[in-house]
Amino acid sequence: MSDLVPFAVAVPIFGSIVALAAGVFRSKSGWAVAVGASVLQLAVAGTLAASAFGDERISYVVGGFDVPFGIELVVDGLSATVLLLVAGVALGVLAYARRAGPRSNPFYATYLLLVAGLSGMTVTGDLFNMYVFLEITGLAAYALVASGEDGRSPVAALKYLIVGTFGASLFLLGIGYAYIGTGTLNMADLAVKLAESAAVDPTLAQAAFALIVVGLFIKVAVFPLHTWQPDAYAGAPDTVSGLISALVSTVAAYALLRVVYTVFGTGFLESNPVAEAMLVGGAVVSIVVGSLLAVSQSEVKRMLAYSSVSQFGLIVAAVAIGNTTALVGAAIHLVGHAVMKGGLFLTAGLVATETGARTVEEFNGLVDRSPVGAGAFGVLAVSMVGVPPTVGFAGKWYVAVGAAESGAWALLAVIVASTLLTLAYFARLVERMFFREPAPQPAVERAGATTSAEPADAVADGGGGDPRGASLGMYATVVGAAVLAVALGFAAFGYGELLEPTIERLLLSP
Amino acid sequence: MIEAIAAKDYYIATFLLLGIGTYVMIAAGNLVKKVIGMNIFQTGIFLFFIASAYVEGGNPPILTTEGPYVSPLPHVLILTAIVVGVALTAVALGMIVRIYAEYGTLEEDTLQEVRHSE
Amino acid sequence: MNEIPSLRPLAAVLAPAVAVAPILASGARPNLREAWTVLASVLTLGLVASMVPGVLAGDVYVTELGSLVPYVDLALHADALGILFGLLASTLWLATSFYSVGYMRGLGEHSQTRYFAAFAGSVASAVGVAFAANLVVLYLFYELLTVATYPLVAHDETDEARAAGRKYLAYTFGGGVAALAGILLVVHLAGTTTFVAGGMSGLAGADPTLARAAFALLITGFGVKAALMPLHSWLPDAMVAPTPVSGLLHAVAVVKSGVFGIARVLLDVFGVDLVAALGVGTVLAAVAAFTLVVASVIALRQDNLKRRLAFSTVSQLSYIVLGLSVGAAAAPGEATKWALVGGLLHIPAHAFMKLTLFFCAGALHVETHTDDISNMAGIGKRMPLTMGAFAVAAAGMAGIPIVAGFVSKYFLLLGTVTAGDLVFTAALLVSGVLNIAYFWPVVYTAFFESQGDSDEKPLLSGVLGGRFGRAARADGGHHGESDDHGPFERRAPNGAEGSWFVVAPILFAAAGSVVLGVVPDAAVFLQVVREIVAGATAMGVVV
C-alpha cells in the first residue's frame, strides 16, 4: 500500500509532461490528457484514503534513505482528506474547463503541475520538501493566473508572484531556524526534538514558529497579508479562479495545521502564549475585516475573494483553539469551503458566460436570464452563510463547539457573529438576483463604469470563452457543487467520527 | 562590541540583504526592479543557510578529504532553492514581457493610470 | 410515556417540502400547481392528525435519522407540544391554500409559482420546528423558515418590499445567531441538546451565571420571531407581503415558531423548576407585559388595517409568552398550571382569530382595494359576511365570551391572580380594554358609517374620546389610490361579495374561533395543552 503514495505526486507530474509533449503532435489534446491523469490521481487518492482511515498511517521513504535523513511521505486521515479533495476538485473543474477554456496544451500541463504541487504539500512529511512543493504550487498558480487573455491577468499574477514568493521565503527562513535548532527536517523527528525543551534554544523555536506561520499566513491570505488574493482571483480566467480558490489557500491552511500540530505541537502553544495570540489575532481580524471588505466590493469575483479571507479566518481560529472537535471542524470547513467557494467562482463564470454580468449591479434580476446560475449561486450562498443542514453549518458548528469546549468565549462570539457578517455580503446579492428588475441596458452602463476591464467582450474574458455559451459540463459542475454543499452537510458527522482518531493522534504526538 | 559583530558577520550580511530586498520590492516603481529586489531577498536566505553549515576549520564534505566536514545538507537544500528561485525569476520576467506588450510601460504608477483609464 | 419509532413526523415535514418540486415544475399550468399545494396540505394535515390520538394517550412518535454533528441527533419527535403547533400549522395551511388561490388570482399577482413554492417550503419548515427533537434541529428548521419566507416578504419586488425583506433577514438571522450562541452554551453546560420534558438534568447543576446567559441568548434568539419588544419592528414592515402570508406566516407559523421556541426553552430545556430557581421567568414576564401593553397602544394609532393587525399580533404573542413565563416562574401549584394552560391555549386561539382578521383584510383588498381604515366607512354593506367574521374575531381578541380568546385569557388571568402577580393581571386587563379600543372603530366604521360623512369624521376615535386628525394617516402605509373609493354598494351575504375561495376560508377560520370558545373541551387543542402541562410539570392531569 505504501508504495502507492509517491504516485499521488508522480501521476500528475507525468501527466503534465505528457500534456506538453502531446501538444507537439496535436494541439488541444491537453484536456484529454488532463482528464486521464486526474482520474488516475483520484483513484490513487481514493485507494489511499480507504486504507488511511482504517490503519494507523501510511508512510513511504523516498529513495530508500532512512528516516529522519531521507524524505518521508505520510498519509493519515487528514492528508488523505485533502488529497481526495485536491483530486476531486481538479477533476470537477476539468469538466467545466472543457468549454470555458483556456484550451492550450501548456495550460493543462501547468494545471497538472499545480495538482502535483498541491498533492506533494499534502503528503510530504519533510519540512523542506514542503517548501519545494509550496513553490511548485506557487509557480503553477502564478502561471495559471497569468493565462487570462486581457491585461489584468499578468499584472495580478506578478503581484501574486512577488507577495507569494515573499511568503514562501519567510517559510524557508523559518525552516532554517528550525533546522539550526534541531539539525533535522523530518516533521516527526522535529516534533520529538522540539519537545525536548532543554535541547533547543526556545528563542530559535519561537523565531521558527513566527516565520513559518507568517509565511503560511501570506499563502492562506489572512488579513492583512491577503493583498495578492482579490487581484489574483479576479484577474484569473474563471476556470482558474475556481480551481485556485478551492485548492491553493486550502492546502496552505492544511500546511499550517500540519506544521503547528505535527511539528510544534500543543505543548509549544501552551508554553508560548504569544504564539497562540498570533493565531487568534490573525483569525479574528481576518474574519471581521475580510467580511467588511467583501461588503464594499462592486465586482462579484472580488467580493468572493474577500469572503475567502474571512472564511480562512475561521479555519485559523480552529487551529488556534486546537482541540479535537475544532480541528475536525477545520478539516470539514476546509473541504466544505473548497466546494462552496470553488462552486461560487465557477457559477460566477457561468453567469458571465451566459449574460456577461460581472459586477454586483449587473446581477440585478439574474434569475430570469440565468436561472441555473442564480439558483446555484443562491444555494451556495445560503450554505456559505451557514444555514443548517448545509456543510457550511457543519464546519462552523464543529469549530464553535470546539471553542465552547475550550472556553474560548471571545473567539466563540466572533465565530458565531461571522454568520451575520457573511450574510451581510451575500444577502444583497441574493436580493438583487431574485427581487430586482434587470438594469435596462447593462452593456451601456458598464461602458461608463471604470472598474470593469473589457466591457465589450466580457464573455471572452474567460480566456477563450466560447460564443456558443455555456456547456453541459459547466452546468453539471455548478449544479454538482450546489448539491454537494448540501449533501456533505449530512455526511459531516460520519466523516468527523472517521477523522477523530487521526486528530487525537495528532494532538498527542510529542 | 566590534568582536561581537565580527563573530556574526554572516548573519548581519544576511539580514542586510533581507532588508534591502524587502525595501526594493516595496519601494521600487519599476517592475523589473521589484523582481531584482525579490532576488536579493532570496539571496539573503541562501546565505543564511550556507552560513549555518559552516564549521570552524571544516573541510568540504568529500570522502577523500579529512574531517571535520562542514554540514552538507544546507548546501543541498540551497541548491534546490536556487533552482526554484531561477524558475520564479523566469516566470516573473515572462509576465513582465506580457505586461509591457499590453500596456507599453513597466512603471507601476503609469500602469495604474493606464488601467484606470481603460 | 411510550416512544414509538415512526416515520410519520418525518413524512409530515417531507410532504410539503417535496411538494415544492412539482409546484415549481407545473408553473405553466396554474390549476395543476394549485392541486399540488392542496394535495400536500391535505396529506400533511392527515399525517399530523393521525398522530393526535396516540399523543393524547401519552405516546411520542420518534423518527431517528442518525447524527448530524456532535451532540446532535438528526431526530424528529412528535410530542404533545409539537403536535399542538404542527396540528395548528397544518390545519390552517389547508384553509390558507384555498384562500391563497382566491387572493393571488383575484389580484392577478406576478410570480405566483415562486409564491406557492415558497409557501410550501415555509410550512415544511414550520412543521419541522414543531417536531424538532433537539435544539439544533429546531434551529435548523428555524433558519430554513427564515430562508423560505424571505421570498414571500420581498414578493412585491418594490423598494418597500425589498427594504422589509432586508430588515426581516437582518432581524431573524441576528436572532438566529443569538440562538446559536445560546445553544452552544447549553452544549457546554449540559452536554446535550435533546429536549427533555421537565428540563435537561445537566443544566440544573450548572453555573447559574452561565445558565442565565444561555437563557438570555436563547430567548433573544427566539424572541425576534416572537416579536418581543424591542425586537418586533420587522413584523409591521413585513406586512408588505401578500395577505395570506401575513395571515398564515406572520400571525401563525413564523411568529409562533418563535413563541414555540420560547416554550421549548422554558419547558423542555430549562424546565419550570430551574427557570423559577434562576429567577429569569419574572424578567421575561415583565418584558412580555411591557410588550403587550405598549404594542396595543401603538396599534391604536395605525390607520393601515394590516399594520394595526400586526401590532395586535405583537401584543397577543406576548400574552402567550407572559402565560408561559408566569407559569414557569411561579411556585409549583395551581398558578403554574393555569398560567401555562392559558399561554399554550392562546397559541391556537390567537391563530384562528388573527387568521380570520387577516383573511378579512385581504378580502377587502382584493374586492375593493381598501387598505386604510379611514376609507372603510360603510364597507360592511358591501361585504357583510367578511365584516361579520371580522367582528366576531375582533370580539374574541378582546376576550369577549363565546369566542376563543375568552377561554385562554380567562386561564391567563386566573394564573396571574393565583400567582399573586397582580401587576401582570392589570397589564392583561388594560390590554384587553385597548383591544376593544382599536378593533371597535373598525367594526363601527364598517357597519355604522357611510362614505358621505367621511369628510367630517375623525379618522380614528381615541380611546378616551380624543380625536386624531389627518396627521395620523402618516402612520399607515400610503397608497396613492386611497382617495378614490366611492360609496360602497350593498350586496347580499350570499357569495356576491367575493370569490368563495376567499370567503369560505374566512368563515372556516371564524367558525374555528367560535368552536374553540364555546366548547373548548371538545376541541382537541385544549386536551393537547393539558397533556403538555402534565408532562412539563409532572403533576398529572390538571385543570
Side-chain angles (χ1 to χ4, degrees), chain C residues 434-447:
Chain C
L434 289 172
N435 264 298
I436 299 178
Y438 63 74
F439 278 125
W440 175 245
V442 182
V443 178
Y444 180 83
T445 307
F447 284 113

Side-chain angles (χ1 to χ4, degrees), chain C residues 131-145:
Chain C
F131 292 154
N134 58 52
L135 274 171
V136 174
V137 176
L138 178 62
Y139 171 77
L140 183 161
F141 285 112
Y142 190 77
E143 294 284 61
L144 285 182
L145 185 56

Side-chain angles (χ1 to χ4, degrees), chain A residues 4 67 298 338 360 368 479 492:
Chain A
L4 202 57
V67 173
S298 61
V360 171
D368 297 327
V479 172

